[in-house]
């Protein structure tokens, strides 16, 4: 039984007694968030995905999973986020960190470091080994290395003479350089061609490891493990309690586990489908005793995959929709 803690609404000051929900771990043990009774609850004005989850370790196997953060709705209309001991909001993306302002340990950062290194280079003559800059003034046109002259060829520019007259075109498209000598036209590199990447096939799933079903909890554990094997994540106890059986929820999927010895009825299938419609997600049914004939027909018309749990803990597809789900996965 989860421990109850007092919760005071900051808007209307109404007192509540709240007990955190219990979620099933993959090992079968219940996982309950540890509430911080000393911290004040927080009013929620809008929900975000990162703040709606909390990482909780399992006390039995030590496995850590993400479960919904405890929340409480006050009759005044305020939604309260109940604080959890020793945890913060779960972040799904990479945290943004500023780069090291001093990666080289010089005490300078950015432009200051570049300026300092340039001053040292000028002092030591590393930037001007010939001494042409600083002592004799700037480079003059026609000097070696000047922008408008080659120096070694009598001050002729790269594209022609220093007078700015365009070079003469030779027959055949060749360009004449200094002295009327034909010069080869520079070759252009071919443009980069983007090749389509080969399509990668999805990695094959490993063999499913079943759990022997002896109790109702074992049936729920087997269904949760099978959903995880199909590719669904963040499997937890459903927020809405179904009329019969035990509800599970994952990202984009609502599941109903019926561990009784009574075959699932048409009403059970319809209730599961209606719950999935309200959640805007898919649904799947796991039954230990199978399904009635009209329930199978209604599941086919509504698009509900049906599975039968055998005592070994391996769900067996009971209709073609279940076969398609096993083939494609989440």
């Amino acid at each position: 039984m989860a421990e109850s803690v007092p919760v005071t609404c900051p808007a209307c000051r109404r007192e509540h007694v709240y007990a955190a929900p219990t979620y099933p771990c993959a090992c079968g043990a219940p996982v309950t968030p540890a509430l911080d009774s000393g911290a004040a609850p927080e009013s929620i004005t809008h929900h975000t995905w990162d703040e709606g989850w909390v990482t909780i370790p399992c006390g039995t196997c030590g496995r850590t999973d993400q479960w919904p953060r405890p929340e409480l709705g006050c009759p005044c209309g305020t939604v309260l986020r109940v604080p959890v001991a020793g945890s913060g909001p779960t972040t799904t993306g990479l945290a943004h960190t500023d780069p090291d302002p001093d990666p080289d340990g010089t005490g300078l950062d950015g432009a200051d470091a570049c300026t300092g290194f340039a001053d040292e280079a000028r002092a030591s003559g590393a930037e001007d080994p010939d001494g042409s800059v600083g002592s004799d003034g700037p480079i003059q046109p026609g000097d070696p290395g000047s922008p408008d002259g080659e120096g070694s060829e009598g001050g002729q520019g790269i594209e022609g003479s220093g007078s700015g007259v365009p070079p003469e075109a030779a027959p055949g498209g060749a360009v004449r350089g200094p002295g009327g000598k034909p010069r080869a036209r520079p070759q252009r590199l071919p443009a980069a061609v983007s090749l389509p990447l080969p399509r990668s096939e999805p990695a094959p799933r490993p063999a499913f490891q079943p759990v022997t079903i002896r109790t109702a909890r074992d049936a729920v554990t087997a269904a949760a493990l099978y959903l995880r094997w199909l590719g669904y994540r963040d499997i937890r106890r459903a927020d809405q309690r179904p009329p019969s059986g035990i509800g599970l929820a994952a990202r984009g999927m609502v599941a109903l586990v019926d561990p009784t010895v009574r075959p699932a009825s048409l009403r059970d299938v319809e209730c599961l489908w209606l719950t999935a419609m309200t959640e805007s997600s898919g649904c799947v049914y796991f039954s230990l005793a199978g399904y009635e004939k009209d329930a199978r027909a209604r599941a086919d018309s509504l698009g509900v995959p049906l599975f039968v749990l055998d005592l070994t803990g391996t769900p067996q597809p009971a209709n073609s929709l279940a076969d398609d789900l096993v083939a494609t996965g989440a």
Side-chain angles (χ1 to χ4, degrees), residues 183-219:
R183 186 173 57 198
R185 187 180 298 274
Q187 298 181 355
R188 295 183 179 180
L189 297 178
V193 180
S194 59
L195 299 177
L197 297 177
R199 297 181 60 183
S200 58
E201 297 293 335
R205 294 192 301 267
F208 176 68
Q209 301 296 329
V211 176
T212 304
I213 297 178
R214 298 184 180 90
T215 62
R217 176 179 294 179
D218 295 336

Coordinates of all heavy atoms in Angstrom, one line a residue, residues 183-219:
R183 N 48.1 30.1 -72.4 CA 48.1 29.5 -71.0 C 46.8 28.7 -70.9 O 45.7 29.0 -71.4 CB 48.1 30.6 -70.0 CG 48.2 30.1 -68.6 CD 48.3 31.3 -67.6 NE 47.2 32.2 -67.7 CZ 47.2 33.4 -67.3 NH1 48.3 33.9 -66.7 NH2 46.1 34.2 -67.4
A184 N 47.0 27.6 -70.3 CA 45.8 26.6 -70.2 C 44.7 27.2 -69.4 O 45.0 27.9 -68.3 CB 46.3 25.3 -69.6
R185 N 43.5 27.0 -69.8 CA 42.4 27.5 -69.0 C 42.3 26.6 -67.7 O 42.4 25.4 -67.8 CB 41.1 27.4 -69.8 CG 39.9 28.0 -69.1 CD 38.7 27.9 -70.0 NE 38.9 28.6 -71.3 CZ 38.6 29.9 -71.5 NH1 38.1 30.6 -70.5 NH2 38.8 30.4 -72.7
P186 N 42.0 27.3 -66.6 CA 41.9 26.5 -65.3 C 40.7 25.5 -65.4 O 39.7 25.9 -65.9 CB 41.7 27.5 -64.3 CG 41.2 28.7 -65.0 CD 41.9 28.7 -66.3
Q187 N 41.0 24.3 -64.9 CA 39.9 23.3 -65.0 C 39.0 23.5 -63.8 O 39.4 23.8 -62.7 CB 40.6 21.9 -64.9 CG 41.4 21.6 -66.1 CD 42.0 20.2 -66.1 OE1 41.8 19.5 -65.1 NE2 42.7 19.8 -67.1
R188 N 37.7 23.2 -64.0 CA 36.7 23.3 -63.0 C 36.5 21.9 -62.4 O 36.3 20.9 -63.2 CB 35.5 23.9 -63.5 CG 35.6 25.4 -63.9 CD 34.2 25.9 -64.3 NE 34.3 27.3 -64.7 CZ 33.3 28.0 -65.1 NH1 32.1 27.5 -65.2 NH2 33.4 29.3 -65.4
L189 N 36.4 21.8 -61.1 CA 36.1 20.6 -60.5 C 34.6 20.2 -60.7 O 33.8 21.1 -60.7 CB 36.4 20.6 -59.0 CG 37.9 20.8 -58.7 CD1 38.1 20.9 -57.2 CD2 38.8 19.7 -59.3
P190 N 34.3 19.0 -60.9 CA 32.9 18.6 -61.1 C 32.2 18.8 -59.8 O 32.7 18.7 -58.7 CB 33.0 17.1 -61.4 CG 34.3 16.6 -60.9 CD 35.2 17.8 -61.0
A191 N 30.9 19.2 -59.9 CA 30.0 19.4 -58.8 C 29.8 18.1 -58.0 O 29.8 17.0 -58.6 CB 28.7 20.0 -59.2
A192 N 29.7 18.3 -56.7 CA 29.4 17.1 -55.9 C 28.1 16.5 -56.2 O 27.1 17.2 -56.3 CB 29.5 17.4 -54.4
V193 N 28.0 15.2 -56.3 CA 26.8 14.5 -56.6 C 26.3 13.8 -55.3 O 27.1 13.0 -54.7 CB 27.0 13.5 -57.8 CG1 25.7 12.8 -58.0 CG2 27.5 14.2 -59.0
S194 N 25.1 14.1 -54.9 CA 24.6 13.4 -53.7 C 23.9 12.1 -54.1 O 23.0 12.1 -54.9 CB 23.5 14.3 -53.1 OG 22.5 14.6 -54.0
L195 N 24.4 11.0 -53.6 CA 23.9 9.7 -53.9 C 22.9 9.3 -52.8 O 23.2 9.5 -51.6 CB 25.1 8.7 -54.0 CG 26.1 9.0 -55.0 CD1 27.3 7.9 -54.9 CD2 25.5 9.0 -56.4
P196 N 21.9 8.7 -53.2 CA 20.9 8.2 -52.2 C 21.5 7.1 -51.3 O 22.2 6.2 -51.8 CB 19.7 7.7 -53.0 CG 20.3 7.4 -54.3 CD 21.4 8.3 -54.6
L197 N 21.2 7.2 -50.0 CA 21.7 6.2 -49.1 C 20.9 4.9 -49.2 O 19.7 5.0 -49.5 CB 21.7 6.7 -47.7 CG 22.6 7.9 -47.4 CD1 22.4 8.4 -45.9 CD2 24.0 7.6 -47.6
P198 N 21.5 3.8 -49.1 CA 20.7 2.5 -49.1 C 19.7 2.5 -48.0 O 20.0 2.9 -46.9 CB 21.7 1.4 -49.1 CG 22.9 2.1 -48.4 CD 22.9 3.5 -48.8
R199 N 18.5 1.9 -48.2 CA 17.5 1.8 -47.2 C 18.0 0.7 -46.2 O 18.4 -0.4 -46.6 CB 16.2 1.4 -47.8 CG 15.6 2.5 -48.7 CD 14.3 2.1 -49.2 NE 13.3 1.9 -48.1 CZ 12.1 1.5 -48.3 NH1 11.6 1.2 -49.5 NH2 11.3 1.3 -47.3
S200 N 17.9 1.0 -44.9 CA 18.3 0.1 -43.9 C 17.1 -0.7 -43.4 O 16.1 -0.1 -43.1 CB 19.0 0.8 -42.7 OG 18.1 1.8 -42.2
E201 N 17.3 -2.0 -43.3 CA 16.2 -2.8 -42.8 C 16.2 -2.7 -41.3 O 17.2 -2.6 -40.6 CB 16.4 -4.3 -43.3 CG 16.4 -4.5 -44.8 CD 15.0 -4.2 -45.3 OE1 14.0 -4.3 -44.6 OE2 14.9 -3.9 -46.5
P202 N 15.0 -2.8 -40.7 CA 14.9 -2.8 -39.2 C 15.6 -4.0 -38.6 O 15.6 -5.1 -39.2 CB 13.4 -2.8 -38.9 CG 12.8 -3.4 -40.2 CD 13.7 -2.9 -41.3
A203 N 16.3 -3.7 -37.5 CA 17.0 -4.8 -36.8 C 16.0 -5.9 -36.3 O 15.0 -5.6 -35.8 CB 17.8 -4.3 -35.6
P204 N 16.3 -7.2 -36.5 CA 15.4 -8.2 -36.1 C 15.3 -8.2 -34.6 O 16.3 -8.0 -33.9 CB 16.0 -9.5 -36.6 CG 17.5 -9.2 -36.8 CD 17.5 -7.7 -37.2
R205 N 14.1 -8.5 -34.1 CA 13.9 -8.5 -32.6 C 14.4 -9.9 -32.1 O 14.3 -10.9 -32.7 CB 12.4 -8.4 -32.3 CG 11.8 -7.0 -32.6 CD 10.5 -6.9 -31.9 NE 9.5 -7.9 -32.4 CZ 8.7 -7.7 -33.4 NH1 8.7 -6.6 -34.1 NH2 7.9 -8.7 -33.8
P206 N 15.0 -9.9 -30.9 CA 15.4 -11.1 -30.3 C 14.2 -12.0 -29.9 O 13.1 -11.5 -29.9 CB 16.2 -10.7 -29.1 CG 15.7 -9.4 -28.7 CD 15.3 -8.7 -30.0
A207 N 14.5 -13.2 -29.6 CA 13.4 -14.1 -29.2 C 12.7 -13.6 -27.9 O 13.4 -13.1 -27.0 CB 13.9 -15.5 -29.0
F208 N 11.4 -13.7 -27.8 CA 10.7 -13.2 -26.6 C 11.0 -14.2 -25.4 O 10.9 -15.4 -25.6 CB 9.2 -13.2 -26.9 CG 8.4 -12.8 -25.7 CD1 8.5 -11.5 -25.1 CD2 7.5 -13.7 -25.1 CE1 7.7 -11.2 -24.0 CE2 6.8 -13.4 -24.0 CZ 6.9 -12.1 -23.4
Q209 N 11.3 -13.6 -24.3 CA 11.5 -14.4 -23.1 C 10.3 -14.4 -22.2 O 10.0 -13.4 -21.6 CB 12.7 -13.8 -22.3 CG 14.0 -13.8 -23.1 CD 14.5 -15.2 -23.5 OE1 14.3 -16.2 -22.7 NE2 15.1 -15.3 -24.6
P210 N 9.5 -15.5 -22.2 CA 8.2 -15.5 -21.5 C 8.4 -15.6 -20.0 O 9.5 -16.0 -19.5 CB 7.5 -16.7 -22.0 CG 8.6 -17.6 -22.5 CD 9.7 -16.8 -22.9
V211 N 7.3 -15.3 -19.2 CA 7.3 -15.5 -17.8 C 6.1 -16.4 -17.5 O 5.0 -16.2 -17.9 CB 7.1 -14.1 -17.1 CG1 6.9 -14.3 -15.6 CG2 8.2 -13.2 -17.4
T212 N 6.4 -17.5 -16.7 CA 5.4 -18.4 -16.4 C 4.3 -17.8 -15.6 O 4.5 -17.0 -14.6 CB 6.0 -19.6 -15.6 OG1 7.0 -20.2 -16.3 CG2 4.9 -20.6 -15.3
I213 N 3.0 -18.0 -16.0 CA 1.9 -17.3 -15.4 C 1.3 -18.3 -14.3 O 0.9 -19.4 -14.6 CB 0.8 -17.0 -16.4 CG1 1.3 -16.1 -17.5 CG2 -0.5 -16.5 -15.8 CD1 0.3 -15.7 -18.6
R214 N 1.4 -17.8 -13.1 CA 0.8 -18.5 -11.9 C -0.3 -17.6 -11.2 O -1.2 -18.1 -10.6 CB 1.9 -18.8 -10.9 CG 2.9 -19.8 -11.5 CD 3.9 -20.2 -10.4 NE 4.9 -21.1 -10.9 CZ 6.1 -20.7 -11.4 NH1 6.4 -19.5 -11.5 NH2 7.0 -21.6 -11.8
T215 N -0.1 -16.3 -11.3 CA -1.0 -15.4 -10.7 C -1.5 -14.3 -11.7 O -1.0 -14.3 -12.8 CB -0.4 -14.7 -9.4 OG1 0.8 -13.9 -9.9 CG2 0.1 -15.7 -8.4
A216 N -2.4 -13.5 -11.2 CA -2.8 -12.4 -12.1 C -1.7 -11.4 -12.3 O -1.6 -10.8 -13.4 CB -4.0 -11.7 -11.4
R217 N -0.8 -11.2 -11.3 CA 0.3 -10.3 -11.5 C 1.2 -10.8 -12.6 O 1.8 -10.1 -13.4 CB 1.1 -10.1 -10.2 CG 2.3 -9.2 -10.4 CD 3.0 -9.0 -9.1 NE 2.2 -8.2 -8.1 CZ 2.6 -7.9 -6.9 NH1 3.7 -8.4 -6.4 NH2 1.8 -7.2 -6.1
D218 N 1.4 -12.2 -12.6 CA 2.2 -12.7 -13.7 C 1.7 -12.5 -15.1 O 2.4 -12.3 -16.0 CB 2.4 -14.2 -13.5 CG 3.2 -14.6 -12.2 OD1 3.9 -13.7 -11.7 OD2 3.0 -15.7 -11.6
A219 N 0.3 -12.5 -15.2 CA -0.3 -12.2 -16.5 C 0.0 -10.8 -16.9 O 0.3 -10.5 -18.1 CB -1.8 -12.5 -16.4

